[in-house]
Amino acid sequence: MILYPAIDLKDGKCVRLLRGEMDKATVFSDKPHEQAKRFEEAGFHWLHLVDLNGAFEGKPVNAKAVSAILQNVNMLTQLGGGIRDMETIAAWLEAGINRVILGTAAVKNPKLVMQACRAFPDQIAVGIDAKEGMVATDGWAKVSDITAIDLALKFEDAGVSAIIYTDIGRDGAMEGPNIEETTKLAERLSTPVILSGGISKLDDVKAVKEAGVPGIEGIIIGRALYDGSIVPKEALALL
């Protein structure tokens, strides 16, 4: 199981939101590339990046910060937020991003996901962010009428490398992950699932591991790493 430390970018800074609300952002670093380097030195191999401004505006906004991260670390990276067309996908992959995450585009333009998976095998993930089981889009500002499971099933044969499932109600709230809903999703899919939202202590990581769900292949951790609730060395050793 892979641990993905998260760097959420807002106005060029590394922040964490509470339940996806942009006006409740806590700034942890004004030099995200330095934070990325610290994660690399701690022993993480993957990095989860989100362009928060981009998610709301529908186009890349924090490209400068992402580029600085890519120039300063040798980690594998996955990036989401504001990626809505083939040109942007291709540009990020060419810049060095290893996996592009399509979220809003997966709901509004599923054909783009299919096209991208054909053009860039194993380099496209679908981000499914849900409020009470229903998919949210546009930086979580809008809630659709499609369930997380129904959306995920649309891409079962598309060649998606992973489904990143975030329970918005848990994200940044430090209230524990929604293992039950993530398990339900993973058990319906052959596509690997990455759990996101609510990891607040080492026992949460242990709980995901002990759940023993074969389809859950990764965990994204954000705020708990920044405030010291989870020590990287201990979490990595556990898995």
Side-chain angles (χ1 to χ4, degrees):
M1 187 174 289
I2 299 170
L3 286 180
Y4 296 80
I7 292 182
D8 290 356
L9 299 164
K10 178 178 182 286
D11 304 329
K13 299 177 181 179
C14 176
V15 307
R16 296 303 296 169
L17 305 185
L18 176 60
R19 299 186 178 92
E21 297 182 31
M22 287 286 272
D23 60 349
K24 294 184 179 179
T26 302
V27 177
F28 284 97
S29 174
D30 59 0
K31 296 180 179 179
H33 63 281
E34 293 184 358
Q35 179 61 61
K37 192 65 179 177
R38 286 192 286 271
F39 283 145
E40 184 177 40
E41 292 170 347
F44 292 104
H45 297 292
W46 271 93
L47 188 61
H48 176 75
L49 302 172
V50 180
D51 181 345
L52 293 173
N53 301 99
F56 279 92
E57 297 187 27
K59 60 183 180 181
V61 175
N62 286 286
K64 184 177 180 180
V66 174
S67 296
I69 290 170
L70 293 174
Q71 290 169 12
N72 280 274
V73 300
N74 294 312
M75 303 172 74
L76 296 170
T77 54
Q78 60 183 25
L79 169 69
I83 303 172
R84 311 280 168 86
D85 55 54
M86 287 293 290
E87 291 76 13
T88 305
I89 294 169
W92 276 128
L93 293 174
E94 186 175 345
I97 293 294
N98 299 96
R99 184 157 62 197
V100 166
I101 304 166
L102 301 177
T104 296
V107 178
K108 297 184 175 182
N109 187 10
K111 289 183 179 179
L112 175 66
V113 178
M114 310 291 189
Q115 182 184 2
C117 286
R118 289 193 297 269
F120 307 107
D122 301 318
Q123 291 184 287
I124 305 298
V126 168
I128 298 180
D129 307 323
K131 287 185 178 181
E132 299 179 357
M134 306 306 291
V135 178
T137 64
D138 300 281
W140 302 352
K142 301 176 183 178
V143 179
S144 72
D145 58 359
I146 185 171
T147 68
I149 288 177
D150 285 343
L151 180 61
L153 287 171
K154 280 188 176 184
F155 304 111
E156 266 289 79
D157 299 320
V160 171
S161 61
I163 296 289
I164 299 169
Y165 179 70
T166 303
D167 184 325
I168 295 171
R170 306 291 182 100
D171 192 72
M174 304 292 282
E175 295 175 356
N178 192 336
I179 298 175
E180 181 180 358
E181 289 301 317
T182 309
T183 296
K184 287 179 182 178
L185 183 66
E187 288 178 340
R188 292 285 302 277
L189 304 174
S190 59
T191 306
V193 174
I194 298 171
L195 179 151
S196 175
I199 298 289
S200 62
K201 54 186 182 295
L202 193 62
D203 282 348
D204 292 333
V205 178
K206 186 177 181 181
V208 177
K209 179 183 178 182
E210 291 182 347
V213 183
I216 300 178
E217 295 191 359
I219 302 171
I220 293 172
I221 306 178
R223 185 178 292 269
L225 291 173
Y226 292 99
D227 66 14
S229 299
I230 290 180
V231 177
K233 183 178 180 179
E234 294 176 355
L236 289 166
L238 178 62
L239 297 182

